[in-house]
Amino acid sequence: MRPRRIGLTGGIGSGKSTVARLLAERGARVIDTDAIARALTAPGGAALPPIVAAFGPEMVDAQGALDRARMRALVFRAPEAKQQLEAILHPMIGEATDRQAAATPPAQPIVFDVPLLVETGARWRARVDRVLLVDCSETTQEARVQARSGWPTEQIRQVIHQQASRIQRRSAADAVLLNEGLDLAGLATEVDALWNLGFFGVPAAIRL
Ligand code: ADP
C-alpha cells in the first residue's frame, strides 16, 4: 500500500477544517488551498499584478491586498469576471499545490483541503486518489457557522445555496464522514476508523 492523495471537501460549517486538523495530527500532510489563495492575494502576492491588469488598481486595498468585498461585488454583478478571476487564480493555486506536494516525503499521505472540490469538477478529481466528504445537514451547517461567526441566518443560507448541494457532493465522494450527532471526540473516533482502515494508504499497525 502506498500513501494516498486524498481530496478533502465539505460545505461551509461541515467540519472539514476540523477533520483536516485531526488528519494532520495523525501524520497526514495537509495542503490548504484556501490558505494558498489567501497568500496569492495578500500584499505582495503573485496573483495581484495579473488581477490589477485584468480588473484595475481599485481591486487592491490600502494595505496592498486584494479588496475582497469589491471583488465579491463585481463577481456578483458580472459572472464573466468570476471566470476571469478563476482563470488567473486556479493555475497559480495548482502550481503552489504541486510544489507543496512534491516537497512531501513519499511515506506521508497528502490531504488536499479543497472547499470547492466538487464545484471545480474534473480538475481536482484527476489529482487525487480518493475524495473524502465531510457531510452534515444544512440545519447543522447553519448552527455551526452561526456559533462561529455570528452571521445572520440569511447570509449563511445564501453561502450554502451558492455551494454544491449535498447530493452533488455525495455523488462525487468515495467516502462520506457524517459529522452529525457527534461531539469532537466522536468525530476524532470516526477519523481514526478511516485511518486504521487504510483509507489514506497507511496500514494500521498489525496487532496479533
Ligand atoms: P468548515 O471548515 O467545514 O467550515 P469547521 O471545521 O471550521 O468547518 O467547523 C465549524 C465549527 O463547528 C467549528 O467551530 C468547529 O469546532 C465546530 N464543529 C465541527 N464539528 C463538530 C463536532 N462534531 N462537534 C462539535 N463542534 C464541531
Side-chain angles (χ1 to χ4, degrees):
M1 215 174 346
R2 68 175 176 84
R4 290 205 178 105
R5 293 177 166 220
I6 303 292
L8 175 68
T9 195
I12 184 169
S14 60
K16 180 186 59 62
S17 309
T18 308
V19 169
R21 184 173 48 74
L22 291 167
L23 290 169
E25 284 169 13
R26 281 153 184 77
R29 168 87 166 95
V30 175
I31 298 180
D32 180 343
T33 58
D34 250 2
I36 291 173
R38 278 196 303 277
L40 286 168
T41 53
L48 289 176
I51 287 175
V52 167
F55 302 104
E58 65 275 15
M59 282 301 159
V60 175
D61 66 17
Q63 282 71 49
L66 173 68
D67 188 331
R68 275 162 214 287
R70 200 178 269 252
M71 194 73 227
R72 249 197 312 273
L74 173 64
V75 161
F76 193 72
R77 279 199 313 274
E80 66 277 8
K82 181 166 182 253
Q83 281 171 10
Q84 215 177 342
L85 178 66
E86 288 175 349
I88 295 170
L89 279 177
H90 285 177
M92 290 182 134
I93 294 171
E95 280 164 28
T97 302
D98 288 345
R99 266 197 308 277
Q100 293 190 21
T104 302
Q108 208 175 5
I110 302 179
V111 173
F112 298 95
D113 181 341
V114 190
L116 300 181
L117 186 143
V118 174
E119 288 83 345
T120 50
R123 212 170 54 84
W124 269 103
R125 182 68 254 198
R127 295 178 116 99
V128 298
D129 301 311
R130 300 274 193 279
V131 172
L132 172 61
L133 169 69
V134 185
D135 184 44
C136 68
S137 69
E138 288 189 7
T139 314
T140 302
Q141 282 181 283
E142 278 175 35
R144 288 199 188 122
V145 177
Q146 194 137 52
R148 181 177 66 187
S149 64
W151 290 359
T153 311
E154 262 323 297
Q155 189 183 347
I156 301 170
R157 286 195 182 150
Q158 213 177 11
V159 175
I160 291 175
H161 290 126
Q162 278 164 359
Q163 297 185 338
S165 68
R166 255 184 116 178
I167 290 176
Q168 286 169 325
R169 280 210 185 83
R170 279 179 166 249
S171 60
D174 298 297
V176 179
L177 205 168
L178 188 61
N179 185 17
E180 184 84 59
L182 293 173
D183 59 11
L184 288 172
L187 181 60
T189 304
E190 293 300 309
V191 169
D192 277 333
L194 274 176
W195 190 270
N196 292 331
L197 277 165
F199 186 76
F200 296 88
V202 184
I206 296 168
R207 289 188 209 93
L208 294 174

